[in-house]
Amino acid sequence: MSFPDVRPRRLRRTAAMRRLVEETRVAPAELVLPLFLKEGLTEPRAISSLPGVVQHSRESLRKAAHQAVSAGVGGLMLFGVPDHAAKDETGSGGIDPDGILNVGLRDLISEVGDSTVVMGDLCLDEFTSHGHCGVLAADGTVDNDATLELYGQMAVAQAEAGAHVVGPSGMMDGQIGVVRRALDNAGHQDTTVLAYAAKYAGAFYGPFREAVESTLQGDRRTYQQSPGNVREALREVELDVAEGADIVMVKPALPYLDVIAAVRDRVDVPVAAYQVSGEYAMVEAAAANGWLDRQGVMLETLTSIRRAGAQIILTYWATEAAQLLRDRY
């Protein structure tokens, strides 16, 4: 037999052969599209640091939802952006049934019903005047337990607006247990809880803060995780599952593929990952300068996140990627 005896290249000879033996594929139904609904807009408004992403009006939100569903996207995650005058110390606009987030959830349910999964971001940061994810104590720190009470109320408000899934993202200790009990006590036993279980205090969130018009003062390092820690992430995930999380999420995604893989190995609930604004913006900026193949990098990053173990991926490319994937396979 001639050398080499083993020829792995046989399985790469043609596109058909490569498709046949491909180990990891991303399906459109595994993608979730984050959407921003801005109070008072009559037309969508571009977000300068997120090319192709907008703050929606209520009308454009419905259109974007319809496009996503038509492309086969598996879910929609809604963020509400209130008028600055509506923000206060406790983030009451996030609980108000007539606040922009709950209005938007009702609009989405009215538009798409059960044809996709409608999710609400469950956090106070968009609604507080200080931009933190909870209420502040007298010393300026985030008051964990006082915040939990508001999270419970916010979860019920979102469920009553029709959300299929609520996504507690504030990284407060005990938040999943409080949200689960609040939902159950209000008769919303079927509402799913997606836990932002391992959310890191990293540097990839800048464009998102433009999108939600963040008023953050200081940083979130006292409640989000240190980028160097993985054992801590696993502890957080295990606590959330014990408290009733139906799905757990790692955020950001690409810089934390090792964390995604470790979480996938540790739990038996679905694992999600959020390809955050900075991940998206880096690729868009490089592609705009002609330095990268935009679509190629888009799909490669999504595949890497899927390969690491995330079966649900939140990405601003969800609709476009879903269309490309349908054509590809």
PDB file of all heavy atoms in Angstrom, residues 174-194:
ATOM      1  N   GLY A 174     -30.159  34.294  43.772  1.00  0.00           N
ATOM      2  CA  GLY A 174     -31.509  33.820  44.062  1.00  0.00           C
ATOM      3  C   GLY A 174     -32.563  34.256  43.075  1.00  0.00           C
ATOM      4  O   GLY A 174     -33.749  33.963  43.273  1.00  0.00           O
ATOM      5  N   GLN A 175     -32.174  34.915  41.976  1.00  0.00           N
ATOM      6  CA  GLN A 175     -33.179  35.494  41.083  1.00  0.00           C
ATOM      7  C   GLN A 175     -34.059  34.436  40.417  1.00  0.00           C
ATOM      8  O   GLN A 175     -35.263  34.666  40.222  1.00  0.00           O
ATOM      9  CB  GLN A 175     -32.522  36.379  40.025  1.00  0.00           C
ATOM     10  CG  GLN A 175     -31.618  35.658  39.047  1.00  0.00           C
ATOM     11  CD  GLN A 175     -30.951  36.617  38.045  1.00  0.00           C
ATOM     12  OE1 GLN A 175     -30.994  37.829  38.190  1.00  0.00           O
ATOM     13  NE2 GLN A 175     -30.319  36.053  37.019  1.00  0.00           N
ATOM     14  N   ILE A 176     -33.508  33.277  40.095  1.00  0.00           N
ATOM     15  CA  ILE A 176     -34.306  32.280  39.385  1.00  0.00           C
ATOM     16  C   ILE A 176     -35.375  31.694  40.299  1.00  0.00           C
ATOM     17  O   ILE A 176     -36.535  31.529  39.895  1.00  0.00           O
ATOM     18  CB  ILE A 176     -33.405  31.171  38.810  1.00  0.00           C
ATOM     19  CG1 ILE A 176     -32.364  31.780  37.863  1.00  0.00           C
ATOM     20  CG2 ILE A 176     -34.252  30.130  38.076  1.00  0.00           C
ATOM     21  CD1 ILE A 176     -32.935  32.627  36.747  1.00  0.00           C
ATOM     22  N   GLY A 177     -35.015  31.405  41.536  1.00  0.00           N
ATOM     23  CA  GLY A 177     -36.004  30.874  42.469  1.00  0.00           C
ATOM     24  C   GLY A 177     -37.135  31.845  42.718  1.00  0.00           C
ATOM     25  O   GLY A 177     -38.315  31.457  42.753  1.00  0.00           O
ATOM     26  N   VAL A 178     -36.810  33.126  42.877  1.00  0.00           N
ATOM     27  CA  VAL A 178     -37.839  34.140  43.121  1.00  0.00           C
ATOM     28  C   VAL A 178     -38.748  34.283  41.902  1.00  0.00           C
ATOM     29  O   VAL A 178     -39.985  34.351  42.033  1.00  0.00           O
ATOM     30  CB  VAL A 178     -37.178  35.488  43.483  1.00  0.00           C
ATOM     31  CG1 VAL A 178     -38.193  36.629  43.413  1.00  0.00           C
ATOM     32  CG2 VAL A 178     -36.569  35.417  44.874  1.00  0.00           C
ATOM     33  N   VAL A 179     -38.167  34.322  40.721  1.00  0.00           N
ATOM     34  CA  VAL A 179     -38.965  34.463  39.501  1.00  0.00           C
ATOM     35  C   VAL A 179     -39.864  33.246  39.301  1.00  0.00           C
ATOM     36  O   VAL A 179     -41.046  33.374  38.974  1.00  0.00           O
ATOM     37  CB  VAL A 179     -38.031  34.681  38.288  1.00  0.00           C
ATOM     38  CG1 VAL A 179     -38.764  34.445  36.971  1.00  0.00           C
ATOM     39  CG2 VAL A 179     -37.452  36.084  38.318  1.00  0.00           C
ATOM     40  N   ARG A 180     -39.313  32.045  39.506  1.00  0.00           N
ATOM     41  CA  ARG A 180     -40.123  30.833  39.330  1.00  0.00           C
ATOM     42  C   ARG A 180     -41.302  30.805  40.297  1.00  0.00           C
ATOM     43  O   ARG A 180     -42.429  30.478  39.905  1.00  0.00           O
ATOM     44  CB  ARG A 180     -39.227  29.605  39.540  1.00  0.00           C
ATOM     45  CG  ARG A 180     -39.888  28.247  39.311  1.00  0.00           C
ATOM     46  CD  ARG A 180     -40.188  27.994  37.849  1.00  0.00           C
ATOM     47  NE  ARG A 180     -41.502  28.452  37.426  1.00  0.00           N
ATOM     48  CZ  ARG A 180     -41.853  28.596  36.158  1.00  0.00           C
ATOM     49  NH1 ARG A 180     -41.007  28.329  35.186  1.00  0.00           N
ATOM     50  NH2 ARG A 180     -43.069  29.029  35.852  1.00  0.00           N
ATOM     51  N   ARG A 181     -41.066  31.148  41.551  1.00  0.00           N
ATOM     52  CA  ARG A 181     -42.160  31.142  42.529  1.00  0.00           C
ATOM     53  C   ARG A 181     -43.195  32.202  42.213  1.00  0.00           C
ATOM     54  O   ARG A 181     -44.409  31.960  42.345  1.00  0.00           O
ATOM     55  CB  ARG A 181     -41.604  31.340  43.943  1.00  0.00           C
ATOM     56  CG  ARG A 181     -40.870  30.114  44.482  1.00  0.00           C
ATOM     57  CD  ARG A 181     -40.603  30.243  45.966  1.00  0.00           C
ATOM     58  NE  ARG A 181     -39.677  31.324  46.258  1.00  0.00           N
ATOM     59  CZ  ARG A 181     -38.353  31.202  46.250  1.00  0.00           C
ATOM     60  NH1 ARG A 181     -37.789  30.041  45.920  1.00  0.00           N
ATOM     61  NH2 ARG A 181     -37.580  32.229  46.554  1.00  0.00           N
ATOM     62  N   ALA A 182     -42.742  33.380  41.793  1.00  0.00           N
ATOM     63  CA  ALA A 182     -43.684  34.450  41.453  1.00  0.00           C
ATOM     64  C   ALA A 182     -44.578  34.040  40.294  1.00  0.00           C
ATOM     65  O   ALA A 182     -45.799  34.270  40.315  1.00  0.00           O
ATOM     66  CB  ALA A 182     -42.927  35.734  41.118  1.00  0.00           C
ATOM     67  N   LEU A 183     -43.988  33.435  39.279  1.00  0.00           N
ATOM     68  CA  LEU A 183     -44.775  32.976  38.133  1.00  0.00           C
ATOM     69  C   LEU A 183     -45.776  31.903  38.547  1.00  0.00           C
ATOM     70  O   LEU A 183     -46.957  31.955  38.182  1.00  0.00           O
ATOM     71  CB  LEU A 183     -43.844  32.431  37.043  1.00  0.00           C
ATOM     72  CG  LEU A 183     -42.986  33.461  36.299  1.00  0.00           C
ATOM     73  CD1 LEU A 183     -41.919  32.759  35.465  1.00  0.00           C
ATOM     74  CD2 LEU A 183     -43.839  34.368  35.418  1.00  0.00           C
ATOM     75  N   ASP A 184     -45.315  30.931  39.319  1.00  0.00           N
ATOM     76  CA  ASP A 184     -46.199  29.844  39.737  1.00  0.00           C
ATOM     77  C   ASP A 184     -47.345  30.358  40.597  1.00  0.00           C
ATOM     78  O   ASP A 184     -48.499  29.948  40.427  1.00  0.00           O
ATOM     79  CB  ASP A 184     -45.404  28.783  40.502  1.00  0.00           C
ATOM     80  CG  ASP A 184     -44.436  28.011  39.609  1.00  0.00           C
ATOM     81  OD1 ASP A 184     -44.505  28.187  38.370  1.00  0.00           O
ATOM     82  OD2 ASP A 184     -43.615  27.251  40.146  1.00  0.00           O
ATOM     83  N   ASN A 185     -47.033  31.258  41.516  1.00  0.00           N
ATOM     84  CA  ASN A 185     -48.066  31.783  42.416  1.00  0.00           C
ATOM     85  C   ASN A 185     -49.106  32.613  41.676  1.00  0.00           C
ATOM     86  O   ASN A 185     -50.247  32.745  42.135  1.00  0.00           O
ATOM     87  CB  ASN A 185     -47.432  32.621  43.524  1.00  0.00           C
ATOM     88  CG  ASN A 185     -46.636  31.785  44.508  1.00  0.00           C
ATOM     89  OD1 ASN A 185     -46.838  30.574  44.617  1.00  0.00           O
ATOM     90  ND2 ASN A 185     -45.710  32.410  45.229  1.00  0.00           N
ATOM     91  N   ALA A 186     -48.708  33.169  40.512  1.00  0.00           N
ATOM     92  CA  ALA A 186     -49.635  33.977  39.716  1.00  0.00           C
ATOM     93  C   ALA A 186     -50.343  33.144  38.647  1.00  0.00           C
ATOM     94  O   ALA A 186     -51.072  33.693  37.816  1.00  0.00           O
ATOM     95  CB  ALA A 186     -48.888  35.133  39.059  1.00  0.00           C
ATOM     96  N   GLY A 187     -50.150  31.836  38.674  1.00  0.00           N
ATOM     97  CA  GLY A 187     -50.828  30.972  37.721  1.00  0.00           C
ATOM     98  C   GLY A 187     -50.127  30.808  36.389  1.00  0.00           C
ATOM     99  O   GLY A 187     -50.728  30.339  35.418  1.00  0.00           O
ATOM    100  N   HIS A 188     -48.836  31.162  36.329  1.00  0.00           N
ATOM    101  CA  HIS A 188     -48.085  31.081  35.066  1.00  0.00           C
ATOM    102  C   HIS A 188     -47.073  29.941  35.127  1.00  0.00           C
ATOM    103  O   HIS A 188     -45.880  30.106  34.806  1.00  0.00           O
ATOM    104  CB  HIS A 188     -47.386  32.407  34.784  1.00  0.00           C
ATOM    105  CG  HIS A 188     -48.335  33.556  34.589  1.00  0.00           C
ATOM    106  ND1 HIS A 188     -49.176  33.633  33.504  1.00  0.00           N
ATOM    107  CD2 HIS A 188     -48.590  34.640  35.362  1.00  0.00           C
ATOM    108  CE1 HIS A 188     -49.909  34.738  33.604  1.00  0.00           C
ATOM    109  NE2 HIS A 188     -49.575  35.364  34.714  1.00  0.00           N
ATOM    110  N   GLN A 189     -47.537  28.779  35.501  1.00  0.00           N
ATOM    111  CA  GLN A 189     -46.644  27.621  35.631  1.00  0.00           C
ATOM    112  C   GLN A 189     -46.012  27.219  34.302  1.00  0.00           C
ATOM    113  O   GLN A 189     -44.952  26.585  34.295  1.00  0.00           O
ATOM    114  CB  GLN A 189     -47.415  26.422  36.211  1.00  0.00           C
ATOM    115  CG  GLN A 189     -47.864  26.593  37.651  1.00  0.00           C
ATOM    116  CD  GLN A 189     -49.246  27.229  37.771  1.00  0.00           C
ATOM    117  OE1 GLN A 189     -49.769  27.792  36.798  1.00  0.00           O
ATOM    118  NE2 GLN A 189     -49.848  27.143  38.942  1.00  0.00           N
ATOM    119  N   ASP A 190     -46.646  27.561  33.200  1.00  0.00           N
ATOM    120  CA  ASP A 190     -46.136  27.148  31.894  1.00  0.00           C
ATOM    121  C   ASP A 190     -45.152  28.147  31.286  1.00  0.00           C
ATOM    122  O   ASP A 190     -44.607  27.894  30.203  1.00  0.00           O
ATOM    123  CB  ASP A 190     -47.293  26.926  30.920  1.00  0.00           C
ATOM    124  CG  ASP A 190     -48.129  25.705  31.273  1.00  0.00           C
ATOM    125  OD1 ASP A 190     -47.599  24.804  31.950  1.00  0.00           O
ATOM    126  OD2 ASP A 190     -49.313  25.664  30.884  1.00  0.00           O
ATOM    127  N   THR A 191     -44.931  29.268  31.938  1.00  0.00           N
ATOM    128  CA  THR A 191     -43.972  30.237  31.425  1.00  0.00           C
ATOM    129  C   THR A 191     -42.557  29.735  31.688  1.00  0.00           C
ATOM    130  O   THR A 191     -42.203  29.365  32.806  1.00  0.00           O
ATOM    131  CB  THR A 191     -44.164  31.611  32.083  1.00  0.00           C
ATOM    132  OG1 THR A 191     -45.493  32.071  31.829  1.00  0.00           O
ATOM    133  CG2 THR A 191     -43.183  32.627  31.529  1.00  0.00           C
ATOM    134  N   THR A 192     -41.744  29.720  30.641  1.00  0.00           N
ATOM    135  CA  THR A 192     -40.375  29.206  30.717  1.00  0.00           C
ATOM    136  C   THR A 192     -39.426  30.259  31.270  1.00  0.00           C
ATOM    137  O   THR A 192     -39.561  31.450  30.975  1.00  0.00           O
ATOM    138  CB  THR A 192     -39.922  28.772  29.304  1.00  0.00           C
ATOM    139  OG1 THR A 192     -40.758  27.695  28.867  1.00  0.00           O
ATOM    140  CG2 THR A 192     -38.473  28.334  29.283  1.00  0.00           C
ATOM    141  N   VAL A 193     -38.442  29.796  32.047  1.00  0.00           N
ATOM    142  CA  VAL A 193     -37.419  30.691  32.591  1.00  0.00           C
ATOM    143  C   VAL A 193     -36.081  30.383  31.934  1.00  0.00           C
ATOM    144  O   VAL A 193     -35.541  29.284  32.069  1.00  0.00           O
ATOM    145  CB  VAL A 193     -37.299  30.558  34.118  1.00  0.00           C
ATOM    146  CG1 VAL A 193     -36.174  31.456  34.647  1.00  0.00           C
ATOM    147  CG2 VAL A 193     -38.623  30.929  34.793  1.00  0.00           C
ATOM    148  N   LEU A 194     -35.572  31.356  31.200  1.00  0.00           N
ATOM    149  CA  LEU A 194     -34.242  31.302  30.589  1.00  0.00           C
ATOM    150  C   LEU A 194     -33.294  32.086  31.487  1.00  0.00           C
ATOM    151  O   LEU A 194     -33.378  33.317  31.555  1.00  0.00           O
ATOM    152  CB  LEU A 194     -34.276  31.907  29.182  1.00  0.00           C
ATOM    153  CG  LEU A 194     -32.952  32.309  28.531  1.00  0.00           C
ATOM    154  CD1 LEU A 194     -32.026  31.120  28.375  1.00  0.00           C
ATOM    155  CD2 LEU A 194     -33.186  32.978  27.185  1.00  0.00           C
TER     156      LEU A 194
END
